[in-house]
Amino acid sequence: MKRRLFLQSSAAAAAALSAPMLYAGSHGGKPKVVVIGGGAGGATCARYIAKDSDGAVEVTLIEPKKTYHTCFFSNLYIGGFRDLASIAHSYDKLSGEYGINVIHDLASGVDSAAKSVTLKGGDSIPYDHLVISPGIDFVEGSVAGWDEAKHAEIMPHAYHAGAQTELLKKQIGAMSEGGVYAMIAPPNPFRCPPGPYERVSMVAHHLKNNNPTAKILIVDPKEKFSKQALFEEGWLKHYDGMIERIGPDFGGASAEVRPDSMEVVVDGEVTKVDVCNVIPAQKAGMIAASAGVTDDSGWAPVDAHSMASRANPDITVLGDASAQGDMPKSGFSANSQAKVAAMAIRGKLTDSKVFPAKYSNTCWSLVETDDGIKVGASYEGTDEKIAKIDGFVSETGEDAATRKATYEESIGWYEGITADMFG
Amino acid sequence: MNFTDENNGRPDLNIVDSGNAPFNVIRTLLFCSLLPLSGALLVSPSFAETGQSEAGDDAQKWPEGRAALQKCVSCHQFSDPASNEAGGEKDAQIGPNLYNVFGREIGAYEGYEYSEILKTVGESGQIWDIKTLDAYLSAPEETFPGTSMSFLGIEDDLARSELIALFMSGDETLAEALGDVGEDPPVSDEILAISGDAEYGEYLSSSCLGCHQADGSDKGLPSIMGWPEGQFVRVMHAYKNKSRANQVMQQHAGALSDEEIAALAAYFGAL
């Protein structure tokens, strides 16, 4: 094979070539990478830098939770297909086997001039390069009547996995006979595009077996949603008559919730509900805004060749928080972006070889027992954005064996991505 | 785990029902399929209910077993070694040739480098019969710890039983089932001759490892470590040109150039 010159398409690599080892020792000693957020983006990025730099880079991972519950597969917990322990992960291997300095604290601020991260506990951590992968926060006031601080325990979002997911499952289990589960679905863009609709499927699965006269009401500000034809086909097949969806034409974009009386108001009509799952509009996790890398959209624009912030080349933004182009906000995407970023960051700090960015994503969803569906695509970095090359989606009317194989594939994927994140 | 060979090395067709579901299913299947061969008319009561096993309905026979066979052929071939060039490209597979595997001594396909455990078990005189195949295929690592077969196993009793029935069915049925599975199309000598850049392959591999296990184990998706390079290249091109069906793999392979596939083959092949 004639070795191609890969470096010309990468700005980060060009910088590395012109100024190798520029960053080593700017704080004394080895170059320091600090990663904020221990999810699919942050944990993967920290692990790959630590693993591939053979100790040449000092990696610190800041994550408040000691036990991390993946958002992906948390719907399967709601449906009773997984237990909570099966989606719980620790950082022991990242600290023990990969030598990553894992700090369980909340990153409360970034001083990009001094190149340091302030922790809630008071410490300040210097960096040569900073990776921000905080996931999402909610846009205040986006659902009338709902305030996260006041109402998340009454009307849970369950869009950060863990205690919220447990609470939602508990509420669904305690629904009165023939009661209503309502979901206020989020506007685009948001974490895990098929997520709300997989959740509806899982709630329906539970209700069908335990409370078959109960109803599901989706109040949705969007005309369309991910894998819509596949979900609607499955809902008709498995849960006929149980699920109603109100789109924007009928008031789905201007719903109001009343947590005190457990009511949902759509287009003037008041519905009394047993459970109200409010998934508000979203923005980058707040640390991204404090670091000054977000724009008016609330997300952080990045260079598609390296995932480096367009506002600050010493900061990389991964996953849900980034505004990168065509990739959906998913754990798979964040994991894929993290590996491109890890390579680019090592290139910048240690002058290692940088190859052109390649990204991919697949989102599996479970509709009913052994009825799995998927959507996916491959992507490349262009100067403008991460651009989709080619994609696929499950077909309606697929046979049972195909759907079962798709579900089984998703279980294999879960084992793979969590090993890729946590070692 | 110790298997007693009660039949002096012959296929164990008449094992006593141990209350183990898969054996019941296998027997049911066999009494149907081997009827003309064995002449043993021990029709079990449940036979009448297994409609999919009715004779004369070959295209529908053992669908779960056929689906499971798809997993085997990723790593094994089932062709008469006499028709292969010994040590040639066709024989260079990840796992041993399974031609006439039923009734064969364990760990005994000539020229394949087996794990110690399979060699030992084979040397003790054990053969691949219903019991050993059933145990091994349900949980390979638990049954023969240290086996080099990175395969999670087939949990589903019916699928496993039907697969074993296919192994037992003799050349014709198996060949027909294998015909359905299809062989990967050949790739050109030019593509096979590309020498992969393993360093580039290492970077590209990070995409594979978002789903496949880095330690080569099978936790629901096939192991992709240590394959002969030619086999890896053929399989990836089969996904790239969509003659293999999986959409996720078609998308990943489709996004890779010939050189990139060679780079991955070189990197994973050396692990």
Side-chain angles (χ1 to χ4, degrees):
Chain A
M1 173 185 168
K2 195 173 162 200
R3 186 166 292 191
R4 292 186 286 178
L5 186 62
F6 291 111
L7 300 167
Q8 55 203 187
S9 66
S10 168
L17 279 183
S18 59
M21 306 304 286
L22 180 67
Y23 295 89
S26 69
H27 286 280
K30 294 176 191 172
K32 293 176 174 60
V33 171
V34 173
V35 179
I36 299 174
T44 307
C45 190
R47 178 172 164 268
Y48 269 78
I49 292 174
K51 170 172 83 72
D52 294 338
S53 68
D54 288 329
V57 177
E58 200 179 296
V59 183
T60 300
L61 177 63
I62 303 169
E63 163 60 49
K65 294 187 286 290
K66 286 189 173 160
T67 300
Y68 182 87
H69 292 93
T70 57
C71 238
F72 43 95
F73 272 33
S74 66
N75 284 332
L76 272 58
Y77 160 70
I78 290 171
F81 291 90
R82 305 282 291 210
D83 58 27
L84 203 59
S86 78
I87 60 166
H89 302 271
S90 89
Y91 295 92
D92 292 353
K93 277 193 185 170
L94 291 184
S95 55
E97 288 177 23
Y98 294 89
I100 295 166
N101 175 27
V102 180
I103 299 175
H104 291 297
D105 199 342
L106 183 74
S108 55
V110 173
D111 183 340
S112 56
K115 294 180 103 178
S116 73
V117 177
T118 315
L119 302 180
K120 198 180 172 192
D123 284 353
S124 132
I125 314 285
Y127 67 82
D128 293 302
H129 193 94
L130 177 64
V131 178
I132 301 183
S133 190
I136 52 151
D137 270 315
F138 300 121
V139 176
E140 275 176 44
S142 62
V143 175
W146 192 87
D147 181 304
E148 186 181 1
K150 285 188 206 150
H151 304 129
E153 297 299 311
I154 305 167
M155 294 185 165
H157 53 77
Y159 237 57
H160 293 129
Q164 274 279 304
T165 327
E166 262 184 298
L167 173 64
L168 182 64
K169 185 174 166 70
K170 215 171 280 174
Q171 289 186 351
I172 294 163
M175 279 171 66
S176 64
E177 195 183 330
V180 176
Y181 161 94
M183 171 187 281
I184 311 298
N188 290 321
F190 62 99
R191 156 179 289 181
C192 189
Y197 310 97
E198 179 184 57
R199 177 172 296 172
V200 162
S201 308
M202 292 296 94
V203 174
H205 168 81
H206 169 84
L207 293 176
K208 185 178 154 184
N209 294 317
N210 297 283
N211 189 352
T213 55
K215 299 284 181 207
I216 294 173
L217 175 67
I218 310 167
V219 182
D220 203 331
K222 304 179 293 297
E223 285 288 350
K224 293 177 186 168
F225 61 87
S226 172
K227 294 189 264 195
Q228 184 164 1
L230 294 159
F231 278 115
E232 289 181 345
E233 176 196 52
W235 293 346
L236 198 65
K237 182 178 171 192
H238 304 299
Y239 317 117
D240 191 13
M242 182 181 271
I243 301 163
E244 184 191 355
R245 176 170 170 265
I246 302 175
D249 292 349
F250 299 93
S254 54
E256 180 201 336
V257 297
R258 295 172 179 164
D260 294 340
S261 54
M262 285 306 286
E263 289 170 329
V264 175
V265 190
V266 183
D267 212 13
E269 195 179 319
V270 181
T271 308
K272 176 96 181 144
V273 301
D274 288 44
V275 177
C276 188
N277 180 192
V278 176
I279 309 175
Q282 297 163 21
K283 60 182 180 180
M286 61 175 234
I287 193 70
S290 4
V293 292
T294 53
D295 65 11
D296 292 344
S297 72
W299 307 101
V302 293
D303 169 42
H305 299 297
S306 64
M307 299 302 293
S309 160
R310 290 200 189 269
N312 185 337
D314 294 327
I315 299 178
T316 293
V317 186
L318 297 176
D320 295 349
S322 67
Q324 31 69 22
D326 295 348
M327 295 185 84
K329 298 185 186 301
S330 73
F332 197 123
S333 292
N335 170 262
S336 174
Q337 293 160 7
K339 290 179 268 201
V340 169
M343 171 186 63
I345 292 165
R346 281 197 303 117
K348 173 181 145 181
L349 299 179
T350 68
D351 202 24
S352 65
K353 198 162 169 181
V354 177
F355 296 104
K358 280 175 109 63
Y359 304 94
S360 63
N361 176 61
T362 304
C363 291
W364 288 265
S365 306
L366 187 61
V367 183
E368 171 57 298
T369 308
D370 287 338
D371 191 355
I373 54 176
K374 57 185 170 181
V375 61
S378 48
Y379 305 84
E380 63 186 348
T382 69
D383 290 344
E384 186 204 346
K385 62 173 182 176
I386 293 184
K388 182 174 167 179
I389 303 170
D390 194 18
F392 68 87
V393 61
S394 293
E395 288 166 23
T396 53
E398 282 172 338
D399 61 33
T402 304
R403 290 298 175 83
K404 187 176 181 213
T406 299
Y407 173 55
E408 286 169 351
E409 182 177 77
S410 75
I411 297 170
W413 161 72
Y414 187 88
E415 294 298 323
I417 189 174
T418 51
D420 207 33
M421 291 163 63
F422 301 108
Chain B
M1 194 153 182
N2 183 38
F3 296 96
T4 315
D5 179 10
E6 292 156 350
N7 284 333
N8 301 321
R10 283 196 309 280
D12 185 1
L13 293 177
N14 295 307
I15 56 170
V16 177
D17 180 10
S18 57
N20 203 347
F23 293 157
N24 282 329
V25 182
I26 291 170
R27 225 174 26 186
T28 304
L29 295 166
L30 291 175
F31 291 150
C32 170
S33 67
L34 298 181
L35 208 57
L37 302 175
S38 66
L41 278 164
L42 297 169
V43 179
S44 88
S46 59
F47 168 56
E49 288 148 33
T50 42
Q52 74 229 30
S53 302
E54 276 172 35
D57 197 7
D58 273 1
Q60 294 303 311
K61 198 157 77 174
W62 305 332
E64 301 286 328
R66 283 161 194 260
L69 189 62
Q70 189 104 39
K71 295 179 181 171
C72 308
V73 300
S74 296
C75 301
H76 297 277
Q77 56 172 308
F78 289 80
S79 57
D80 183 353
S83 69
N84 292 344
E85 284 175 50
E89 178 72 357
K90 239 198 137 190
D91 230 20
Q93 295 274 327
I94 300 140
N97 192 333
L98 297 183
Y99 180 76
N100 277 347
V101 68
F102 193 84
R104 185 164 92 189
E105 186 182 311
I106 291 174
Y109 183 75
E110 208 181 314
Y112 186 79
E113 193 51 45
Y114 285 91
S115 57
E116 285 308 315
I117 179 83
L118 260 75
K119 277 193 236 172
T120 309
V121 170
E123 281 158 13
S124 77
Q126 295 199 58
I127 61 158
W128 288 121
D129 58 16
I130 293 181
K131 278 185 187 171
T132 49
L133 279 170
D134 185 61
Y136 190 54
L137 290 174
S138 66
E141 176 64 30
E142 272 174 48
T143 306
F144 295 135
T147 176
S148 53
M149 183 166 82
S150 293
F151 180 55
L152 190 59
I154 302 167
E155 203 183 351
D156 185 81
D157 290 342
L158 182 65
R160 202 167 64 250
S161 307
E162 289 188 357
L163 179 63
I164 296 169
L166 274 174
F167 288 168
M168 296 172 69
S169 67
D171 284 356
E172 230 166 78
T173 314
L174 184 58
E176 183 253 326
L178 286 167
D180 285 350
V181 170
E183 266 190 35
D184 294 327
V187 294
S188 72
D189 290 345
E190 236 168 54
I191 286 174
L192 283 175
I194 299 170
S195 156
D197 175 352
E199 190 187 358
Y200 186 33
E202 182 173 7
Y203 161 60
L204 294 171
S205 76
S206 67
S207 179
C208 315
L209 300 180
C211 299
H212 296 275
Q213 295 290 323
D215 65 4
S217 62
D218 174 354
K219 293 191 174 167
L221 299 176
S223 165
I224 53 172
M225 310 291 153
W227 288 29
E229 288 188 36
Q231 174 74 354
F232 190 97
V233 168
R234 254 193 307 277
V235 167
M236 289 300 280
H237 279 274
Y239 284 119
K240 190 176 162 76
N241 65 33
K242 304 199 177 193
S243 61
R244 278 197 182 213
N246 184 288
Q247 288 175 305
V248 179
M249 284 308 302
Q250 286 177 352
Q251 170 230 309
H252 279 270
L256 296 169
S257 67
D258 295 350
E259 285 76 16
E260 287 168 339
I261 290 175
L264 280 169
Y267 175 69
F268 281 129
L271 293 180

